[in-house]
Amino acid sequence: MPNTARQDIRNVAIIAHVDHGKTTLVDGLLKQSHVFRHNQVVGERILDSNDQERERGITILAKNTAITYEGVKINVIDTPGHADFGGEVERVLLMADGVLLIVDAVEGPMPQTHFVLKKALELDLRPVVVINKVDRAQSRVNEVLEELSDLFLELATDSDQLEFPVLYASAREEWAARSLDNPRTDLAPLFEAIVEHIPAPQSDPDAPLQLLVTTLDYDSYRGRYAIGRINRGRLRAGQPVAVLAPDTAPRQAAVGQLYLYQGLSRVEVEEASAGDIVALTGLDDVGIGHTISDAAYPEALPRIAVTEPTVKMTFGVNTSPFAGREGTASTSRKLRERLFRELETNLSLRVRATEVADEFEVSGRGELHLAVLIEEMRREGYELQVSRPEAIVKEIDGVRQEPWERLSVDVAEEHVGTVVEQFGRRQASMTEMANEGRGEVHLEFDVPTRGLLGLRARLLTDTRGTAVLNSVFTGYRPFAGPIGSDRTGAMIATDSGVATTYGLMNAQERGATIIEPGTLVYEGMIVGVNARGQDLPINVCKEKKLTNVRSSTSEILVRLSPPLQMDLDAALDFLAEDELVEVTPKNIRLRKRLLTETERSRARKR
């Protein structure tokens, strides 16, 4: 039987730059498709159910949902917008036939817009463009539409891709329109555009089964779920299948339960056919990139290829004097098992054992990509210590090369000089500068990844929080040369014990502290930031000597300045080469790699 289009299904991925309104738009689609009861309280960013997604306000994991419009089932794939999670986007686009490209009516196309659209057009996915937030006073719809046309002209691989439908929307107000002059009532025009312009999946239900696993999920009742789109044929619950992993012989297995998506739920079914996005159980050893095929005709689909990592860190067993006190998993065996288990679902990650038995080199797409993994492990009860992030330098054709990124910065006019000066010291070259006319300037740079490491927090301080930075990896180029550091020295505890108010008062005469009175400290732990360039050993456990002379009233109450807040992201930004972050379920501490002054002195001499 030849391929026929399944007109009852549309598979669409929603792609955009971070904060352009993807997840909010999905909220509106779910609500207006009557997935929820009339009086049900559902909140905002419904699909961002992960704790870190809620706290950080970004989508980290791609998710599936399904809605029905006038008899057509629309499988919606919500994707991350942050560049560090681009691997999530690359693998789930294989389940789609088209994409909704969401673009902010104020910001226009951003670096990640370029990346996700390029990947979609390479897969020949049909785009529908939604210019979102047109209700904002600063919106510049016509300019953004011109910028989008230029972007399509740059990225299109076929002349047909230069023709794309455009809708105007406010995801927060839950309306879309084909023209700015049309009524702004609901999202019906968007539903109609999806059904009209997103191609229906091609279906050959009588061909041998083929399904590429693009996502894994797990629950304690059913076990592992393999999620993917049926490329051809039919799939039934209990059906014998062949599992084909890269570079291995086919393995015979049998499907357990079979599920389709409806709203936020999975609905168990007996059979599904080509074009359906399904979740199935019973295949405990299956992984992302594996093909599930007909047992009698084992034929693999092309493996999933994702962009290589650009940043690496060392993850090691916690070796501080406080090791083992606050976590439930603190051995090298546990750490190794957890890191290699992460590789099953995190395709952009790489883990390599080092010459040191209890240390592993972990590579990812950026600082945030690795920070999310560290935070997740910390919440699971792991204790570990991590090094400063480093760019991955390669030798290509005999030339030393490093990753480069395209960076966009939006900043208040009065801080433009500060931004340009900072990037000038980091081997960056400015490619664009535009005054948006709102007291804000848009800058674009080509910058080595090394130049961005540890910069974000410093730049936010220097610009009083007005800078918005976004970057995307563009490729490898010849090594740009040395990049200086403007970080000052650290204040290092010389004694173990409990930090006192008196000891911290003395420390604050030299710089800013990062701990409070009553904090347990150990020798070699970093307790503050020195105002000068060199490290400063200091005793923060020192107590005031008692005398028989009564203190004056002014000495009764000692007022300390509030300590600098060092969360995980700030700690990773702060690190020097000879320092580590100690991460436990209860605390995040900064420390020197060598804890005693004697060891550090010997290392300096060597």
Side-chain angles (χ1 to χ4, degrees):
M1 180 178 175
N3 281 359
T4 57
R6 283 192 64 180
Q7 297 297 337
D8 61 328
I9 288 182
R10 299 292 186 274
N11 295 318
V12 60
I14 299 189
I15 59 175
H17 186 79
V18 65
D19 285 338
H20 280 201
K22 294 184 314 302
T23 307
T24 305
L25 188 64
V26 174
D27 287 355
L29 293 173
L30 287 167
K31 291 173 184 176
Q32 294 192 19
S33 62
H34 309 294
V35 167
F36 308 108
R37 298 189 312 272
H38 178 69
N39 61 346
Q40 186 173 350
V41 178
V42 294
E44 296 181 345
R45 296 190 293 116
I46 301 163
L47 290 187
D48 284 349
S49 54
N50 180 287
D51 288 342
Q52 286 202 67
E53 290 178 325
R54 289 285 182 184
E55 293 166 14
R56 294 177 181 271
I58 60 174
T59 300
I60 295 173
L61 301 172
K63 302 174 189 70
N64 293 78
T65 186
I67 53 184
T68 302
Y69 178 75
E70 294 187 351
V72 177
K73 181 177 182 179
I74 302 173
N75 287 309
V76 178
I77 308 158
D78 186 26
T79 66
H82 199 286
D84 282 25
F85 308 107
E88 289 280 309
V89 181
E90 290 180 79
R91 63 179 173 81
V92 298
L93 284 180
L94 297 172
M95 292 191 287
D97 296 296
V99 294
L100 288 185
L101 177 66
I102 316 299
V103 182
D104 191 302
V106 179
E107 295 183 351
M110 300 292 279
Q112 183 69 355
T113 314
H114 183 284
F115 172 80
V116 293
L117 180 60
K118 181 174 184 288
K119 294 298 178 183
L121 295 180
E122 286 174 354
L123 293 171
D124 199 26
L125 302 181
R126 180 70 187 271
V128 173
V129 173
V130 179
I131 300 180
N132 190 27
K133 306 183 184 181
V134 297
D135 54 318
R136 292 177 61 182
Q138 306 95 330
S139 67
R140 47 188 194 93
V141 175
N142 293 332
E143 294 92 332
V144 168
L145 194 53
E146 288 181 12
E147 292 168 7
L148 277 168
S149 298
D150 292 340
L151 182 60
F152 271 86
L153 195 61
E154 176 188 347
L155 299 178
T157 58
D158 188 286
S159 59
D160 291 341
Q161 295 173 338
L162 297 177
E163 298 293 329
F164 51 90
V166 179
L167 285 87
Y168 307 91
S170 170
R172 186 168 293 278
E173 295 183 1
E174 298 182 9
W175 61 263
R178 293 180 182 264
S179 165
L180 289 174
D181 299 325
N182 287 3
R184 303 178 176 186
T185 53
D186 55 24
L187 292 171
L190 181 55
F191 284 109
E192 293 165 1
I194 292 172
V195 173
E196 180 182 348
H197 295 287
I198 301 298
Q202 296 296 310
S203 170
D204 186 356
D206 297 324
L209 170 70
Q210 263 190 331
L211 180 152
L212 183 66
V213 178
T214 56
T215 307
L216 295 178
D217 200 359
Y218 181 86
D219 72 37
S220 56
Y221 181 60
R222 297 289 186 190
R224 177 176 294 195
Y225 290 87
I227 300 167
R229 170 180 162 170
I230 300 177
N231 189 55
R232 72 184 187 198
R234 299 179 189 272
L235 182 61
R236 293 176 299 279
Q239 177 179 337
V241 295
V243 178
L244 294 88
D247 306 320
T248 61
R251 177 175 60 83
Q252 298 299 311
V255 174
Q257 288 85 20
L258 180 64
Y259 298 87
L260 294 176
Y261 286 88
Q262 187 58 50
L264 303 181
S265 305
R266 297 187 183 111
V267 179
E268 188 170 358
V269 296
E270 288 300 314
E271 183 178 276
S273 60
D276 283 320
I277 293 177
V278 298
L280 49 100
T281 64
L283 308 176
D284 292 337
D285 295 330
V286 74
I288 292 176
H290 292 185
T291 300
I292 299 172
S293 70
D294 191 293
Y297 300 94
E299 183 181 352
L301 288 162
R303 64 189 303 174
I304 299 173
V306 297
T307 307
E308 291 292 311
T310 57
V311 174
K312 64 182 180 181
M313 296 170 63
T314 299
F315 286 42
V317 172
N318 185 12
T319 59
S320 86
F322 296 165
R325 295 186 184 183
E326 300 172 351
T328 57
S330 56
T331 64
S332 60
R333 181 177 63 84
K334 294 269 190 183
L335 180 61
R336 179 187 180 87
E337 287 176 355
R338 178 62 181 83
L339 290 175
F340 280 92
R341 188 168 73 245
E342 183 70 19
L343 295 178
E344 295 178 5
T345 56
N346 200 333
L347 292 193
S348 298
L349 201 72
R350 302 287 184 273
V351 178
R352 184 180 69 84
T354 66
E355 296 175 357
V356 181
D358 56 0
E359 289 186 354
F360 302 89
E361 183 182 279
V362 182
S363 306
R365 293 282 281 268
E367 282 181 283
L368 182 60
H369 185 201
L370 296 175
V372 166
L373 172 60
I374 296 168
E375 179 64 24
E376 186 177 340
M377 292 175 64
R378 184 178 81 86
R379 297 181 185 199
E380 293 171 3
Y382 285 82
E383 281 192 23
L384 65 154
Q385 59 190 30
V386 298
S387 68
R388 182 180 70 169
E390 300 176 47
I392 298 174
V393 179
K394 298 181 179 179
E395 189 166 305
I396 302 175
D397 298 329
V399 179
R400 192 182 183 203
Q401 300 198 18
E402 65 177 333
W404 282 67
E405 304 194 27
R406 176 184 298 170
L407 174 78
S408 69
V409 184
D410 293 288
V411 66
E413 287 179 348
E414 61 266 30
H415 299 301
V416 170
T418 300
V419 173
V420 173
E421 180 186 356
Q422 285 283 2
F423 284 106
R425 298 206 299 262
R426 287 169 168 77
Q427 304 288 351
S429 59
M430 187 190 300
T431 59
E432 185 177 333
M433 180 175 180
N435 193 320
E436 304 291 348
R438 308 184 303 272
E440 195 174 79
V441 177
H442 177 79
L443 305 168
E444 291 195 7
F445 298 89
D446 282 338
V447 57
T449 299
R450 283 183 303 131
L452 294 178
L453 299 178
L455 174 67
R456 193 173 299 269
R458 176 62 185 266
L459 203 61
L460 287 174
T461 301
D462 290 348
T463 61
R464 298 183 182 179
T466 63
V468 178
L469 285 72
N470 293 286
S471 63
V472 66
F473 170 67
T474 55
Y476 274 81
R477 300 187 196 175
F479 195 77
I483 293 176
S485 172
D486 52 8
R487 204 203 86 167
T488 57
M491 289 194 281
I492 308 160
T494 58
D495 295 68
S496 299
V498 179
T500 65
T501 302
Y502 182 73
L504 290 174
M505 181 180 67
N506 291 333
Q508 288 192 349
E509 293 176 359
R510 309 292 188 88
T513 55
I514 61 174
I515 61 171
E516 296 179 339
T519 302
L520 287 171
V521 301
Y522 53 80
E523 182 181 5
M525 180 173 154
I526 296 173
V527 295
V529 183
N530 190 11
R532 300 185 178 230
Q534 69 274 14
D535 290 340
L536 174 69
I538 194 163
N539 182 7
V540 292
C541 303
K542 184 177 181 181
E543 296 183 355
K544 187 174 182 180
K545 298 297 183 183
L546 298 177
T547 71
N548 59 356
V549 178
R550 182 173 295 176
S551 299
S552 66
T553 306
S554 62
E555 293 178 327
I556 294 175
L557 183 62
V558 175
R559 288 187 173 88
L560 292 174
S561 299
L564 297 176
Q565 297 299 313
M566 281 284 183
D567 60 9
L568 179 60
D569 295 336
L572 293 176
D573 278 347
F574 178 81
L575 280 186
E577 187 175 354
D578 64 337
E579 296 167 357
L580 300 169
V581 179
E582 176 189 353
V583 181
T584 76
K586 296 182 180 178
N587 286 291
I588 292 171
R589 303 182 182 95
L590 289 159
R591 52 162 287 187
K592 286 293 182 180
R593 192 181 292 271
L594 301 175
L595 293 178
T596 68
E597 179 58 33
T598 303
E599 291 175 316
R600 294 195 295 273
S601 179
R602 287 174 182 167
R604 285 193 293 269
K605 290 177 181 177
R606 285 197 298 268

